[in-house]
Amino acid sequence: RDRSPSRGLGDVYKRQEDIEKESEFYKKCFQMIAVSEKQKDKNILLDELLEHEDSEIITTKLITPAGKQNGQGDMIELVKIVSHVEHLRIPSSIYNTGMMHIAIGVEDIDRVIDLIAQNGGRSKTNIVTHANGNRFAFAIDPEGNWLELIERH
């Protein structure tokens, strides 16, 4: 039986200010594994998307143990935009739209909530058990991104 605290996750792209801190949080709390770390990329497609010449991004890609085992999906890409222009206005259509929350399936919700608190995040709700036995709670990561934790039974 897989003892990883995470069961599955689709591809999620998260805007970051501190990639190193967020990367460590997801590694420690969900045993995610780095596929690539602090990879710099600069190309014409980024220039078009960000409406600025000479744009650069730094990306760290993390995958869950289940995703690594089956060779696909279950990945988070932490993205930071780097600009040499003091007040670069990034188009809201590509970057500032944000997300509501990330839902993550876990094996042991109590353990994961403890790990989140130990690694700079915090619990936002109590754990709720539904009639079907599934348990749910919300927490936030160190940068304030909402996480929905789901322990299915």
Side-chain angles (χ1 to χ4, degrees), residues 6-153:
S6 58
R7 286 188 178 167
L9 179 70
D11 247 7
V12 176
Y13 302 85
K14 290 179 74 246
R15 172 184 169 210
Q16 299 307 138
E17 294 302 321
D18 188 341
I19 285 183
E20 293 85 7
K21 183 178 178 181
E22 285 289 282
S23 177
E24 286 305 307
F25 174 83
Y26 284 94
K27 287 176 186 176
K28 289 177 181 175
C29 293
F30 301 103
Q31 295 180 336
M32 296 190 91
I33 303 155
V35 173
S36 66
E37 293 190 89
K38 295 187 252 177
Q39 179 179 332
K40 291 185 179 183
D41 193 13
K42 183 187 262 192
N43 61 50
I44 195 162
L45 178 61
L46 286 172
D47 292 350
E48 285 184 40
L49 288 171
L50 301 175
E51 298 174 2
H52 176 73
E53 288 185 26
D54 205 28
S55 300
E56 181 178 40
I57 62 170
I58 299 172
T59 306
T60 291
K61 297 178 183 180
L62 305 171
I63 195 164
T64 63
K68 183 174 181 179
Q69 185 177 19
N70 68 29
Q72 63 184 5
D74 297 343
M75 184 179 293
I76 291 179
E77 293 189 28
L78 307 174
V79 178
K80 180 174 183 173
I81 295 179
V82 179
S83 172
H84 305 291
V85 176
E86 189 173 325
H87 298 290
L88 174 63
R89 184 187 170 278
I90 298 168
S92 61
S93 59
I94 189 68
Y95 194 60
N96 295 329
T97 55
M99 63 183 174
M100 182 81 172
H101 68 273
I102 300 171
I104 302 175
V106 300
E107 291 286 332
D108 181 346
I109 199 167
D110 299 285
R111 177 174 167 244
V112 171
I113 286 177
D114 287 344
L115 288 169
I116 287 170
Q118 293 167 19
N119 290 284
R122 67 178 198 258
S123 177
K124 292 298 284 182
T125 68
N126 292 317
I127 298 169
V128 174
T129 303
H130 288 263
N132 64 5
N134 292 343
R135 300 174 75 210
F136 297 84
F138 280 87
I140 57 171
D141 71 14
E143 287 199 359
N145 299 296
W146 284 79
L147 308 172
E148 178 183 12
L149 307 172
I150 307 163
E151 178 186 294
R152 296 193 188 276
H153 293 278

